[in-house]
Amino acid sequence: MKPYLREKTAFSFDEVPENTSFEAGYLVSVNSGWRSIRPVIDAAKCIGCEQCYLYCPDGVISVRDGKAEIDYDFCKGCGICAKICKIGAIRMEAERG
Amino acid sequence: MANKTAESISREEFFYGHKACAGCGGSLAVRAALKVLGQNAVSVLPAGCMSAVGFNFPQLCFSNNSIISTFAGTASMLTGIEAGLRAKGYTDFTAVGFAGDGGTADIGIQALSGAIDRGDNIIYICYDNEAYMNTGIQKSGLTPFGARTTTTPAGQNIHGNIREKKNMFEIVAAHGIPYAATASIGYLPDFIEKVRKASQIKGTKYIHVIAPCPTGWGIAPDETVEIAKEVVDSGLWYLAEYENGRFILNRKPKQFTDAAAYLRKQGRFRHLSDEDIAHVIESRDRKWEYINQNFTYGG
């Protein structure tokens, strides 16, 4: 299982713990805003070789049913996956909006 | 299509949602190593990129037990964690440290040397991005010759760093350590195999992994893995192991790729003159002469 994004809960200052007493893998903010380009997987071409999964510095790629999937919440758009993919099943597209 | 390396490591992510720069080599090294060691790894991170990007309260990006140590104390904190957990009766855990090149070769070398001397049962991984990147690119003991950093600027008279890279792998091996290895994130299956091997050996283990930094090296974020391959292929880094008092070379390039092309690609080496590059190639050839004489080639 991957660590997941928690729901934001508002807390007042006196509720803030004095030390890091949250559980490990406690995620509250995404990295998607860092991206100017995003990887897009061509499912028809993807053979599930898992090279992109192995080399992703952020670990956002997983392979399900033989096809790669990307967690866009935490992908920073570095483009390593598109370069490592020998069959060219990943292309980088400009972020819009 | 099964990927043997991917099958051999945990499917879980233990370093996730971190704030490292896009294309960070160091974070890939930490992620891969933790996927080998699993949930029961206790990781220690001194001051450096990986502690700065992993613990942004309340965002906790390590989902195994992790702690930040003092800059100089990675190895001594590992010693304490290993002894403490052992005293409490735990047997199924790995104490692993991830220190940068400055935290290993400069600031943390004394604590590391002490831990090796005591033979503590720990794994020490040095992710080498060849300068103090976290604080804005200052020269460390592992910065290679000619590299431009903020403390070794490239001027008309002096072209970047005038010192050679410290030979950390052989310094550690000279302690008579049970296991030491060099690796590169460009050759991830090799690195993963070395972490696994280290986790099965008793005593102190040291792995030195080259982890390029797009920000500090002046390369595009998507070139990290390629450049980490190229540094090995061009002979400027080598994949080797030290075990039972013997040096073993894991990869012997038949012919080196163009070292000048490797250097010219990076912003930190762009100012180098032809003589500087000739110097780099000359010291590479000297190093390989030494390796060929003293290392055994094999798996």
Side-chain angles (χ1 to χ4, degrees), chain B:
Chain B
M1 191 175 158
N3 183 318
K4 248 170 56 189
T5 310
E7 293 296 334
S8 72
I9 53 176
S10 170
R11 290 276 163 197
E12 283 183 57
E13 297 292 341
F14 300 104
F15 189 40
Y16 200 73
H18 55 76
K19 304 294 181 186
C21 307
C24 169
S27 63
L28 177 54
V30 172
R31 170 182 173 246
L34 287 177
K35 281 167 86 78
V36 177
L37 303 172
Q39 187 70 56
N40 289 351
V42 181
S43 35
V44 172
L45 299 108
C49 289
M50 291 307 115
S51 59
V53 304
F55 304 85
N56 290 289
F57 184 80
Q59 182 114 329
L60 296 176
C61 302
F62 286 92
S63 46
N64 59 316
N65 281 305
S66 292
I67 189 168
I68 302 181
S69 74
T70 57
F71 211 156
T74 317
S76 41
M77 186 170 269
L78 283 168
T79 298
I81 285 173
E82 193 274 330
L85 287 173
R86 187 157 35 84
K88 293 204 100 184
Y90 292 99
T91 49
D92 182 25
F93 68 91
T94 319
V96 58
F98 297 101
D101 46 293
T104 302
D106 302 344
I107 299 175
I109 194 168
Q110 177 252 13
L112 172 61
S113 181
I116 302 172
D117 184 35
R118 291 186 298 271
D120 295 325
N121 192 18
I122 60 172
I123 303 179
Y124 191 108
I125 296 177
C126 166
Y127 65 93
D128 181 6
N129 48 27
E130 304 197 319
Y132 289 90
M133 297 309 184
N134 179 40
T135 44
I137 318 165
Q138 290 83 26
K139 177 207 176 291
S140 81
L142 292 176
T143 303
F145 174 82
R148 184 186 66 208
T149 69
T150 51
T151 47
T152 57
Q156 234 167 23
N157 298 318
I158 297 180
H159 304 163
N161 183 21
I162 54 169
R163 301 285 302 154
E164 303 285 343
K165 192 179 171 81
K166 204 187 265 189
N167 194 346
M168 201 56 206
F169 170 58
E170 281 169 58
I171 291 172
V172 166
H175 288 73
I177 192 170
Y179 182 74
T182 61
S184 161
I185 60 143
Y187 290 95
L188 210 54
D190 171 78
F191 172 59
I192 285 172
E193 208 37 64
K194 282 168 177 168
V195 175
R196 191 190 330 281
K197 195 167 176 183
S199 70
Q200 290 158 353
I201 292 171
K202 212 171 152 45
T204 316
K205 286 83 63 177
Y206 175 83
I207 299 175
H208 191 126
V209 55
I210 284 282
C213 164
T215 315
W217 289 26
I219 52 172
D222 61 353
E223 284 174 351
T224 315
V225 171
E226 272 174 25
I227 211 100
K229 271 201 174 93
E230 209 176 328
V231 69
V232 176
D233 296 342
S234 63
L236 294 172
W237 185 244
Y238 53 96
L239 306 181
E241 284 172 301
Y242 174 83
E243 211 184 351
N244 304 323
R246 282 176 58 233
F247 286 102
I248 301 145
L249 184 68
N250 301 127
R251 190 180 177 86
K252 196 173 195 169
K254 276 205 184 78
Q255 186 149 27
F256 295 132
T257 57
D258 189 2
Y262 163 81
L263 298 169
R264 292 264 182 244
K265 241 176 240 179
Q266 304 172 48
R268 61 174 178 159
F269 290 125
R270 204 151 287 154
H271 58 277
L272 290 188
S273 66
D274 290 344
E275 292 87 67
D276 296 330
I277 290 180
H279 175 88
V280 171
I281 292 174
E282 194 192 308
S283 44
R284 173 195 74 183
D285 293 343
R286 236 191 349 262
K287 177 78 200 168
W288 276 90
E289 207 174 295
Y290 176 82
I291 288 176
N292 288 331
Q293 275 171 12
N294 295 288
F295 289 28
T296 322
Y297 177 54

Side-chain angles (χ1 to χ4, degrees), chain A residues 62-73:
Chain A
S62 49
V63 174
R64 200 162 53 174
D65 302 329
K67 303 286 175 192
E69 280 180 2
I70 294 169
D71 179 353
Y72 287 108
D73 273 352

Side-chain angles (χ1 to χ4, degrees), chain A residues 47-68:
Chain A
I47 54 166
C49 69
E50 301 193 302
Q51 283 295 316
C52 54
Y53 156 76
L54 268 184
Y55 281 95
C56 176
D58 292 85
V60 299
I61 305 180
S62 49
V63 174
R64 200 162 53 174
D65 302 329
K67 303 286 175 192

Side-chain angles (χ1 to χ4, degrees), chain A residues 39 52 61 79-86 88-92, chain B residues 222:
Chain A
C52 54
I61 305 180
I80 286 177
C81 52
K83 276 220 168 158
I84 207 91
C85 185
K86 283 203 187 88
I90 305 177
R91 63 176 190 282
M92 301 304 289
Chain B
D222 61 353

